[in-house]
Structure formats: structure tokens, C-alpha cells
Amino acid sequence: KLKILYIKNNLIKNFERDCFMHTHLLEFLDLSQNKLENISIYLFSNLDSLLNLNLSSNLISIIQKKSFSKLSELRYLDL
């Protein structure tokens, strides 16, 4: 089962709404050094086991309300 996922430095601009649908056991997610601009309320909604989220070095200008509300186990967030 996938627990750690590095998707850093890939020039990603956005993700599909349900791209993390089947990764509910994921604990570590690194999306740093991409081109993300918008964090949608749906992006992390299925990641209820996530402990560490790295979004640093992106182009984020919009974070929708409650984008991180489902991340009840989150201990570390880097924007």
C-alpha cells in the first residue's frame, strides 16, 4: 500500500479533482517545486491518513476554504 509519494519538480500545474481518490493510506506527500496555482477543496479530501504535506516552491495564489479540513492527522505542512 502506498504510504509515501514524491511528485516534486515535475512542472505540474493542476491535478484532477479525484487524483488521490484511492490513496487514503498515504502518509507523506511531496508536491514541491511544481507549478501549482490553486489548491481546491477536493484535492486532499481522501487523504485522511496524511501526516506530512509539502507544497513549497509552487505558484500558489489561491487556497480554497476548507482545502485542508479533511486532513485530521496532518502534522506538517509546508507552503
Side-chain angles (χ1 to χ4, degrees):
K1 296 176 175 140
L2 185 64
K3 292 196 176 227
I4 299 173
L5 182 59
Y6 287 92
I7 314 176
K8 67 187 289 184
N9 200 19
N10 284 290
L11 303 175
I12 297 170
K13 290 186 177 184
N14 57 32
F15 286 96
E16 294 296 319
R17 178 180 175 153
D18 59 352
C19 68
F20 296 117
M21 175 76 74
H22 303 288
T23 59
H24 66 276
L25 295 176
L26 195 65
E27 294 180 357
F28 183 97
L29 177 58
D30 190 342
L31 301 174
S32 63
Q33 300 174 5
N34 282 292
K35 302 289 182 187
L36 294 174
E37 296 178 356
N38 183 4
I39 304 300
S40 113
I41 191 171
Y42 306 105
L43 184 58
F44 305 122
S45 61
N46 293 310
L47 298 178
D48 50 353
S49 297
L50 196 68
L51 298 170
N52 188 311
L53 175 59
N54 190 343
L55 296 168
S56 65
S57 300
N58 277 285
L59 302 172
I60 299 170
S61 59
I62 298 172
I63 299 176
Q64 293 181 355
K65 276 188 175 183
K66 300 189 179 188
S67 292
F68 305 115
S69 64
K70 301 287 185 179
L71 301 178
S72 60
E73 298 299 317
L74 191 67
R75 300 295 176 252
Y76 178 83
L77 172 63
D78 191 345
L79 294 172

Coordinates of all heavy atoms in Angstrom, one line a residue:
K1 N 0.8 -1.2 0.0 CA 0.0 0.0 0.0 C 0.9 1.2 0.0 O 1.8 1.3 0.8 CB -0.9 0.0 1.2 CG -1.9 -1.2 1.1 CD -2.7 -1.3 2.3 CE -3.7 -2.4 2.1 NZ -4.0 -3.2 3.1
L2 N 0.5 2.2 -0.8 CA 1.3 3.4 -1.0 C 1.2 4.3 0.3 O 0.1 4.7 0.7 CB 0.8 4.2 -2.2 CG 1.6 5.4 -2.6 CD1 3.0 5.0 -3.0 CD2 0.9 6.1 -3.7
K3 N 2.3 4.6 0.9 CA 2.3 5.5 2.0 C 3.2 6.7 1.8 O 2.9 7.7 2.5 CB 2.9 4.7 3.2 CG 2.0 3.6 3.7 CD 2.4 3.1 5.1 CE 1.4 2.1 5.5 NZ 0.9 2.3 6.8
I4 N 4.1 6.7 0.9 CA 5.0 7.8 0.6 C 4.9 8.1 -0.9 O 5.1 7.1 -1.7 CB 6.4 7.5 1.0 CG1 6.5 7.3 2.6 CG2 7.3 8.7 0.6 CD1 7.8 6.9 3.1
L5 N 4.7 9.3 -1.3 CA 4.7 9.7 -2.7 C 5.4 11.0 -2.9 O 5.0 12.1 -2.3 CB 3.2 9.8 -3.1 CG 2.9 10.1 -4.6 CD1 3.6 9.1 -5.5 CD2 1.4 10.2 -4.8
Y6 N 6.4 11.0 -3.7 CA 7.2 12.2 -4.2 C 6.8 12.5 -5.6 O 7.0 11.7 -6.5 CB 8.7 11.9 -4.1 CG 9.3 11.8 -2.7 CD1 9.4 10.6 -2.1 CD2 9.7 13.0 -2.1 CE1 9.9 10.5 -0.8 CE2 10.3 12.9 -0.8 CZ 10.4 11.7 -0.2 OH 10.9 11.6 1.0
I7 N 6.2 13.7 -5.8 CA 5.9 14.1 -7.1 C 6.5 15.5 -7.3 O 5.9 16.4 -7.8 CB 4.4 14.2 -7.4 CG1 3.7 12.9 -6.9 CG2 4.1 14.4 -8.9 CD1 2.2 12.9 -7.0
K8 N 7.7 15.7 -6.8 CA 8.3 17.0 -6.8 C 9.0 17.3 -8.1 O 9.4 16.4 -8.8 CB 9.2 17.2 -5.6 CG 10.4 16.3 -5.7 CD 11.3 16.4 -4.4 CE 11.9 17.8 -4.3 NZ 12.8 17.9 -3.1
N9 N 9.1 18.6 -8.4 CA 9.9 19.1 -9.6 C 9.4 18.4 -10.9 O 10.2 17.9 -11.6 CB 11.3 18.9 -9.3 CG 12.2 19.7 -10.2 OD1 11.7 20.7 -10.7 ND2 13.5 19.4 -10.4
N10 N 8.1 18.5 -11.2 CA 7.6 17.9 -12.4 C 6.8 18.9 -13.2 O 6.1 18.5 -14.2 CB 6.6 16.8 -12.0 CG 7.4 15.5 -11.7 OD1 8.1 14.9 -12.5 ND2 7.4 15.2 -10.4
L11 N 6.8 20.2 -12.9 CA 6.1 21.2 -13.6 C 4.6 21.0 -13.7 O 3.9 21.5 -14.6 CB 6.7 21.4 -15.1 CG 8.2 21.6 -15.2 CD1 8.6 21.6 -16.6 CD2 8.5 23.0 -14.5
I12 N 4.1 20.4 -12.7 CA 2.6 20.1 -12.6 C 1.9 21.4 -12.3 O 2.2 22.1 -11.4 CB 2.3 19.1 -11.6 CG1 2.9 17.7 -12.0 CG2 0.8 18.9 -11.4 CD1 2.9 16.7 -10.9
K13 N 0.9 21.7 -13.1 CA 0.1 22.9 -12.9 C -1.2 22.7 -12.1 O -1.7 23.5 -11.4 CB -0.3 23.6 -14.2 CG 0.9 24.2 -14.9 CD 0.5 24.9 -16.2 CE 1.7 25.5 -16.8 NZ 1.4 26.3 -18.0
N14 N -1.8 21.5 -12.3 CA -3.0 21.2 -11.5 C -3.2 19.7 -11.5 O -2.6 19.0 -12.2 CB -4.2 21.9 -12.1 CG -4.4 21.6 -13.6 OD1 -4.1 20.5 -14.1 ND2 -5.0 22.5 -14.3
F15 N -4.1 19.3 -10.7 CA -4.5 17.9 -10.5 C -6.0 17.7 -10.8 O -6.8 18.6 -10.5 CB -4.2 17.4 -9.1 CG -2.7 17.2 -8.8 CD1 -2.0 18.2 -8.2 CD2 -2.1 16.0 -9.2 CE1 -0.7 18.0 -7.9 CE2 -0.8 15.9 -8.9 CZ 0.0 16.9 -8.3
E16 N -6.4 16.6 -11.3 CA -7.8 16.3 -11.4 C -8.4 16.2 -10.1 O -7.7 15.8 -9.1 CB -8.0 15.0 -12.2 CG -7.5 15.0 -13.6 CD -8.3 15.9 -14.5 OE1 -9.5 16.0 -14.3 OE2 -7.7 16.6 -15.3
R17 N -9.7 16.5 -10.0 CA -10.4 16.5 -8.7 C -10.2 15.2 -7.9 O -10.1 15.3 -6.7 CB -11.9 16.7 -9.0 CG -12.8 16.7 -7.8 CD -14.2 17.0 -8.3 NE -15.0 16.9 -7.1 CZ -16.2 17.5 -7.0 NH1 -16.6 18.3 -8.0 NH2 -16.9 17.4 -6.0
D18 N -10.2 14.1 -8.5 CA -10.1 12.8 -7.8 C -8.8 12.1 -7.9 O -8.8 10.9 -7.8 CB -11.3 11.9 -8.2 CG -11.3 11.6 -9.7 OD1 -10.5 12.2 -10.4 OD2 -12.1 10.8 -10.1
C19 N -7.8 12.8 -8.2 CA -6.5 12.2 -8.5 C -5.9 11.4 -7.3 O -5.2 10.4 -7.5 CB -5.5 13.2 -9.0 SG -5.0 14.3 -7.7
F20 N -6.3 11.7 -6.1 CA -5.8 11.0 -4.9 C -6.9 10.1 -4.3 O -6.9 9.8 -3.1 CB -5.3 12.0 -3.9 CG -4.1 12.7 -4.3 CD1 -4.1 14.1 -4.5 CD2 -2.9 12.1 -4.6 CE1 -3.0 14.8 -4.9 CE2 -1.8 12.8 -5.1 CZ -1.8 14.2 -5.2
M21 N -7.9 9.8 -5.1 CA -9.1 9.1 -4.6 C -8.8 7.8 -3.9 O -9.3 7.4 -2.9 CB -10.0 8.8 -5.8 CG -11.2 8.0 -5.5 SD -12.5 8.8 -4.7 CE -13.2 9.8 -6.0
H22 N -7.8 7.0 -4.5 CA -7.5 5.7 -3.9 C -6.2 5.7 -3.2 O -5.5 4.6 -3.1 CB -7.5 4.7 -5.1 CG -8.8 4.7 -5.9 ND1 -9.9 4.1 -5.3 CD2 -9.1 5.1 -7.1 CE1 -10.9 4.3 -6.2 NE2 -10.4 4.9 -7.3
T23 N -5.8 6.7 -2.6 CA -4.6 6.8 -1.8 C -4.9 7.2 -0.4 O -4.1 7.9 0.3 CB -3.6 7.8 -2.4 OG1 -4.3 9.1 -2.5 CG2 -3.2 7.4 -3.8
H24 N -5.9 6.7 0.2 CA -6.3 7.1 1.5 C -5.4 6.7 2.6 O -5.4 7.2 3.7 CB -7.8 6.6 1.9 CG -7.9 5.2 1.9 ND1 -8.1 4.4 0.8 CD2 -7.8 4.3 3.0 CE1 -8.1 3.1 1.2 NE2 -8.0 3.1 2.5
L25 N -4.4 5.8 2.3 CA -3.4 5.4 3.3 C -2.1 6.2 3.2 O -1.2 6.0 4.0 CB -3.2 3.9 3.2 CG -4.3 3.0 3.6 CD1 -3.9 1.5 3.3 CD2 -4.8 3.2 5.0
L26 N -2.1 7.1 2.3 CA -0.9 7.9 2.1 C -0.6 8.7 3.4 O -1.5 9.3 3.9 CB -1.1 8.8 0.9 CG 0.1 9.5 0.3 CD1 1.0 8.5 -0.3 CD2 -0.4 10.5 -0.8
E27 N 0.7 8.7 3.8 CA 1.1 9.4 5.0 C 2.0 10.6 4.6 O 2.1 11.6 5.4 CB 1.8 8.5 5.9 CG 0.9 7.4 6.5 CD 1.6 6.5 7.4 OE1 2.8 6.6 7.6 OE2 0.9 5.6 8.0
F28 N 2.7 10.5 3.5 CA 3.7 11.6 3.2 C 3.5 11.9 1.7 O 3.5 11.0 0.8 CB 5.1 11.1 3.4 CG 6.2 12.1 3.1 CD1 6.7 12.8 4.1 CD2 6.6 12.3 1.8 CE1 7.7 13.8 3.9 CE2 7.6 13.2 1.5 CZ 8.1 14.0 2.6
L29 N 3.3 13.2 1.4 CA 3.1 13.6 0.0 C 3.9 14.9 -0.2 O 3.8 15.9 0.4 CB 1.6 13.9 -0.2 CG 1.2 14.5 -1.6 CD1 1.6 13.5 -2.7 CD2 -0.3 14.8 -1.6
D30 N 4.8 14.8 -1.2 CA 5.6 15.9 -1.6 C 5.3 16.4 -3.0 O 5.5 15.7 -4.0 CB 7.1 15.5 -1.5 CG 8.1 16.7 -1.7 OD1 7.6 17.7 -2.2 OD2 9.2 16.5 -1.3
L31 N 4.7 17.6 -3.1 CA 4.3 18.2 -4.3 C 5.1 19.4 -4.6 O 4.7 20.3 -5.4 CB 2.8 18.5 -4.3 CG 1.8 17.4 -4.1 CD1 0.4 17.9 -4.0 CD2 2.0 16.4 -5.3
S32 N 6.2 19.6 -3.9 CA 7.0 20.8 -4.0 C 7.7 21.0 -5.4 O 7.8 20.0 -6.2 CB 8.1 20.8 -2.9 OG 9.0 19.7 -3.1
Q33 N 8.0 22.2 -5.7 CA 8.8 22.5 -6.9 C 8.0 22.2 -8.1 O 8.6 21.7 -9.1 CB 10.2 21.9 -6.9 CG 11.0 22.3 -5.7 CD 12.3 21.6 -5.6 OE1 12.7 20.8 -6.5 NE2 13.1 21.9 -4.6
N34 N 6.7 22.5 -8.1 CA 5.9 22.3 -9.3 C 5.4 23.7 -9.7 O 5.9 24.7 -9.3 CB 4.7 21.3 -9.0 CG 5.2 19.9 -9.1 OD1 5.6 19.4 -10.1 ND2 5.2 19.2 -7.9
K35 N 4.3 23.7 -10.4 CA 3.7 25.0 -10.9 C 2.2 25.2 -10.4 O 1.4 25.8 -11.0 CB 3.7 25.1 -12.4 CG 5.1 25.0 -13.0 CD 5.9 26.2 -12.7 CE 7.3 26.1 -13.4 NZ 8.2 27.1 -13.0
L36 N 1.9 24.5 -9.3 CA 0.6 24.6 -8.7 C 0.2 26.0 -8.4 O 1.0 26.7 -7.8 CB 0.5 23.7 -7.5 CG 0.6 22.2 -7.7 CD1 0.6 21.5 -6.3 CD2 -0.5 21.7 -8.5
E37 N -1.0 26.4 -8.8 CA -1.5 27.8 -8.5 C -2.7 27.8 -7.6 O -2.9 28.7 -6.9 CB -1.9 28.4 -9.9 CG -0.7 28.7 -10.8 CD -1.1 29.3 -12.1 OE1 -2.3 29.5 -12.3 OE2 -0.2 29.6 -12.9
N38 N -3.5 26.7 -7.7 CA -4.8 26.7 -7.0 C -4.9 25.4 -6.2 O -4.7 24.3 -6.7 CB -5.9 26.8 -8.0 CG -7.3 26.8 -7.4 OD1 -7.4 26.8 -6.1 ND2 -8.3 26.8 -8.2
I39 N -5.2 25.5 -4.9 CA -5.5 24.3 -4.1 C -7.0 24.2 -3.8 O -7.6 25.1 -3.2 CB -4.8 24.4 -2.7 CG1 -3.3 24.6 -2.9 CG2 -5.0 23.2 -1.9 CD1 -2.5 23.6 -3.7
S40 N -7.6 23.2 -4.5 CA -9.0 23.1 -4.4 C -9.5 22.4 -3.1 O -8.7 21.6 -2.5 CB -9.5 22.4 -5.7 OG -10.0 21.1 -5.4
I41 N -10.7 22.5 -2.8 CA -11.2 21.9 -1.6 C -11.3 20.3 -1.8 O -11.3 19.6 -0.8 CB -12.7 22.4 -1.3 CG1 -13.1 21.9 0.1 CG2 -13.6 22.1 -2.4 CD1 -14.4 22.6 0.5
Y42 N -11.3 19.9 -3.0 CA -11.4 18.4 -3.3 C -10.0 17.7 -3.4 O -10.0 16.5 -3.3 CB -12.2 18.2 -4.5 CG -13.5 18.9 -4.5 CD1 -13.7 20.0 -5.3 CD2 -14.5 18.3 -3.8 CE1 -15.0 20.6 -5.2 CE2 -15.8 19.0 -3.7 CZ -16.0 20.1 -4.5 OH -17.2 20.7 -4.4
L43 N -9.0 18.5 -3.6 CA -7.7 17.9 -3.9 C -7.2 16.8 -2.8 O -6.8 15.8 -3.2 CB -6.6 18.9 -4.1 CG -5.2 18.5 -4.5 CD1 -5.3 17.7 -5.8 CD2 -4.3 19.7 -4.6
F44 N -7.3 17.2 -1.6 CA -6.8 16.3 -0.5 C -8.0 15.7 0.3 O -7.7 15.1 1.4 CB -6.0 17.1 0.5 CG -4.8 17.9 -0.2 CD1 -4.7 19.2 -0.1 CD2 -3.9 17.2 -1.0 CE1 -3.7 19.9 -0.7 CE2 -2.9 17.9 -1.6 CZ -2.8 19.2 -1.5
S45 N -9.2 15.7 -0.2 CA -10.3 15.2 0.6 C -10.3 13.7 1.0 O -11.0 13.4 1.9 CB -11.6 15.6 -0.1 OG -11.7 14.9 -1.4
N46 N -9.5 12.9 0.3 CA -9.5 11.5 0.6 C -8.2 11.1 1.3 O -8.0 9.9 1.6 CB -9.6 10.7 -0.7 CG -11.0 10.8 -1.3 OD1 -12.0 10.6 -0.7 ND2 -11.0 11.1 -2.6
L47 N -7.4 12.0 1.7 CA -6.1 11.7 2.3 C -6.2 11.8 3.9 O -5.5 12.6 4.5 CB -5.1 12.7 1.8 CG -4.8 12.6 0.3 CD1 -3.8 13.6 -0.1 CD2 -4.4 11.2 -0.1
D48 N -7.1 11.1 4.4 CA -7.3 11.2 5.9 C -6.2 10.6 6.7 O -6.3 10.7 8.0 CB -8.7 10.6 6.2 CG -8.9 9.2 5.7 OD1 -8.1 8.7 4.9 OD2 -10.0 8.6 6.0
S49 N -5.2 10.0 6.2 CA -4.1 9.4 6.9 C -2.8 10.3 6.7 O -1.8 10.0 7.3 CB -3.8 8.0 6.5 OG -4.8 7.1 6.8
L50 N -2.9 11.3 6.0 CA -1.8 12.1 5.6 C -1.2 12.8 6.9 O -1.9 13.5 7.6 CB -2.1 13.2 4.6 CG -0.9 13.8 3.9 CD1 -0.2 12.8 3.0 CD2 -1.4 15.0 3.0
L51 N 0.1 12.6 7.1 CA 0.8 13.3 8.2 C 1.7 14.4 7.7 O 1.9 15.4 8.5 CB 1.7 12.2 8.9 CG 1.1 11.0 9.5 CD1 2.1 10.0 9.9 CD2 0.2 11.4 10.6
N52 N 2.2 14.3 6.5 CA 3.2 15.3 6.1 C 2.8 15.7 4.6 O 2.7 14.9 3.8 CB 4.6 14.7 6.1 CG 5.7 15.7 5.8 OD1 5.6 16.4 4.8 ND2 6.7 15.7 6.7
L53 N 2.7 17.1 4.4 CA 2.4 17.6 3.1 C 3.3 18.7 2.8 O 3.4 19.7 3.5 CB 0.9 18.1 3.1 CG 0.4 18.8 1.8 CD1 0.5 17.8 0.6 CD2 -1.0 19.2 2.0
N54 N 4.0 18.6 1.6 CA 4.9 19.6 1.2 C 4.4 20.2 -0.1 O 4.4 19.6 -1.1 CB 6.3 19.1 1.0 CG 7.4 20.1 0.8 OD1 7.0 21.3 0.5 ND2 8.6 19.8 1.0
L55 N 4.1 21.5 -0.1 CA 3.6 22.3 -1.2 C 4.5 23.4 -1.5 O 4.2 24.3 -2.3 CB 2.2 22.8 -1.0 CG 1.1 21.8 -0.8 CD1 -0.2 22.4 -0.3 CD2 0.8 21.0 -2.1
S56 N 5.7 23.4 -1.0 CA 6.6 24.6 -1.1 C 7.1 24.7 -2.5 O 7.1 23.8 -3.3 CB 7.8 24.4 -0.2 OG 8.6 23.3 -0.5
S57 N 7.5 25.9 -2.8 CA 8.1 26.3 -4.2 C 7.2 26.0 -5.3 O 7.5 25.5 -6.3 CB 9.4 25.6 -4.4 OG 10.4 25.9 -3.4
N58 N 5.9 26.4 -5.1 CA 4.9 26.3 -6.2 C 4.5 27.8 -6.4 O 5.1 28.7 -5.9 CB 3.7 25.5 -5.7 CG 3.9 24.0 -5.9 OD1 3.8 23.6 -7.1 ND2 4.2 23.3 -4.9
L59 N 3.5 28.0 -7.2 CA 3.0 29.3 -7.6 C 1.6 29.5 -7.0 O 0.7 30.2 -7.6 CB 2.9 29.5 -9.1 CG 4.3 29.3 -9.8 CD1 4.1 29.3 -11.3 CD2 5.3 30.3 -9.4
I60 N 1.4 29.0 -5.8 CA 0.0 29.0 -5.2 C -0.4 30.4 -4.9 O 0.3 31.2 -4.2 CB 0.0 28.2 -3.9 CG1 0.4 26.7 -4.2 CG2 -1.3 28.3 -3.2 CD1 0.6 25.9 -3.0
S61 N -1.5 30.8 -5.5 CA -2.1 32.1 -5.2 C -3.5 32.0 -4.6 O -4.1 32.9 -4.0 CB -2.2 33.0 -6.4 OG -2.9 32.3 -7.5
I62 N -4.1 30.8 -4.8 CA -5.5 30.5 -4.2 C -5.5 29.2 -3.5 O -5.1 28.2 -4.0 CB -6.5 30.4 -5.4 CG1 -6.6 31.8 -6.2 CG2 -7.9 30.1 -4.9 CD1 -7.4 31.7 -7.4
I63 N -6.0 29.3 -2.2 CA -6.2 28.1 -1.4 C -7.7 28.3 -1.0 O -8.1 29.2 -0.2 CB -5.3 28.1 -0.2 CG1 -3.9 28.0 -0.6 CG2 -5.7 26.9 0.7 CD1 -2.9 28.0 0.6
Q64 N -8.5 27.4 -1.5 CA -9.9 27.4 -1.2 C -10.2 27.1 0.2 O -9.5 26.3 0.8 CB -10.7 26.5 -2.1 CG -10.7 26.9 -3.6 CD -11.5 25.9 -4.5 OE1 -12.0 24.9 -4.0 NE2 -11.6 26.3 -5.7
K65 N -11.2 27.7 0.8 CA -11.6 27.4 2.2 C -11.8 25.9 2.4 O -12.4 25.3 1.5 CB -12.9 28.2 2.5 CG -12.7 29.6 2.9 CD -14.1 30.1 3.4 CE -13.9 31.5 3.9 NZ -15.1 32.0 4.5
K66 N -11.4 25.5 3.5 CA -11.5 24.1 3.9 C -10.7 23.1 3.0 O -11.0 21.9 3.0 CB -13.0 23.7 3.9 CG -13.8 24.5 4.9 CD -15.1 23.9 5.1 CE -15.8 24.8 6.2 NZ -17.1 24.3 6.6
S67 N -9.7 23.6 2.3 CA -8.9 22.7 1.5 C -8.2 21.6 2.3 O -7.9 20.6 1.8 CB -7.9 23.5 0.7 OG -8.5 24.3 -0.3
F68 N -7.9 22.0 3.5 CA -7.1 21.1 4.4 C -8.0 20.5 5.5 O -7.5 19.8 6.4 CB -5.9 21.8 5.0 CG -5.0 22.4 4.0 CD1 -4.9 23.8 4.0 CD2 -4.3 21.7 3.1 CE1 -4.0 24.4 3.0 CE2 -3.5 22.3 2.1 CZ -3.4 23.6 2.1
S69 N -9.3 20.7 5.4 CA -10.2 20.3 6.5 C -10.3 18.8 6.8 O -10.6 18.4 7.9 CB -11.6 20.9 6.3 OG -12.2 20.4 5.2
K70 N -10.1 18.0 5.8 CA -10.2 16.5 5.9 C -8.9 15.9 6.4 O -8.8 14.7 6.6 CB -10.6 15.9 4.6 CG -11.9 16.4 4.0 CD -13.0 15.8 4.8 CE -14.3 16.2 4.2 NZ -15.5 15.7 4.8
L71 N -7.8 16.7 6.5 CA -6.5 16.2 6.9 C -6.4 16.2 8.4 O -5.5 16.9 9.0 CB -5.4 17.1 6.2 CG -5.5 17.1 4.7 CD1 -4.4 18.1 4.2 CD2 -5.4 15.8 4.1
S72 N -7.2 15.4 9.0 CA -7.2 15.4 10.5 C -5.9 14.9 11.2 O -5.7 15.3 12.3 CB -8.4 14.6 11.0 OG -8.3 13.3 10.6
E73 N -5.1 14.2 10.5 CA -3.9 13.6 11.0 C -2.7 14.4 10.6 O -1.5 14.1 11.1 CB -3.7 12.2 10.5 CG -4.8 11.2 11.0 CD -4.9 11.1 12.5 OE1 -3.8 11.0 13.2 OE2 -6.0 11.1 13.0
L74 N -2.8 15.5 9.9 CA -1.7 16.3 9.4 C -0.9 16.9 10.5 O -1.5 17.5 11.4 CB -2.2 17.4 8.5 CG -1.2 18.1 7.7 CD1 -0.5 17.2 6.6 CD2 -1.8 19.3 7.0
R75 N 0.4 16.7 10.5 CA 1.3 17.2 11.5 C 2.3 18.2 10.9 O 2.8 19.1 11.6 CB 2.1 16.0 12.1 CG 1.3 15.0 12.8 CD 0.5 15.6 14.0 NE -0.3 14.6 14.6 CZ -1.6 14.6 14.5 NH1 -2.3 15.5 13.9 NH2 -2.4 13.7 15.1
Y76 N 2.5 18.2 9.6 CA 3.5 19.1 9.0 C 2.9 19.5 7.7 O 2.5 18.7 6.8 CB 4.8 18.4 8.8 CG 5.9 19.2 8.1 CD1 6.6 20.1 8.8 CD2 6.1 19.1 6.8 CE1 7.6 20.9 8.2 CE2 7.0 19.8 6.1 CZ 7.8 20.7 6.8 OH 8.7 21.5 6.2
L77 N 2.9 20.9 7.5 CA 2.5 21.5 6.2 C 3.5 22.5 5.8 O 3.8 23.4 6.6 CB 1.1 22.1 6.4 CG 0.6 22.9 5.2 CD1 0.4 22.1 3.9 CD2 -0.7 23.6 5.6
D78 N 4.1 22.4 4.6 CA 5.0 23.4 4.1 C 4.4 24.0 2.9 O 4.2 23.4 1.9 CB 6.3 22.8 3.8 CG 7.4 23.8 3.5 OD1 7.1 25.0 3.3 OD2 8.6 23.4 3.5
L79 N 4.1 25.3 3.0 CA 3.6 26.1 1.8 C 4.7 26.9 1.2 O 4.5 27.5 0.2 CB 2.5 27.0 2.3 CG 1.2 26.3 2.8 CD1 0.2 27.3 3.4 CD2 0.6 25.5 1.7

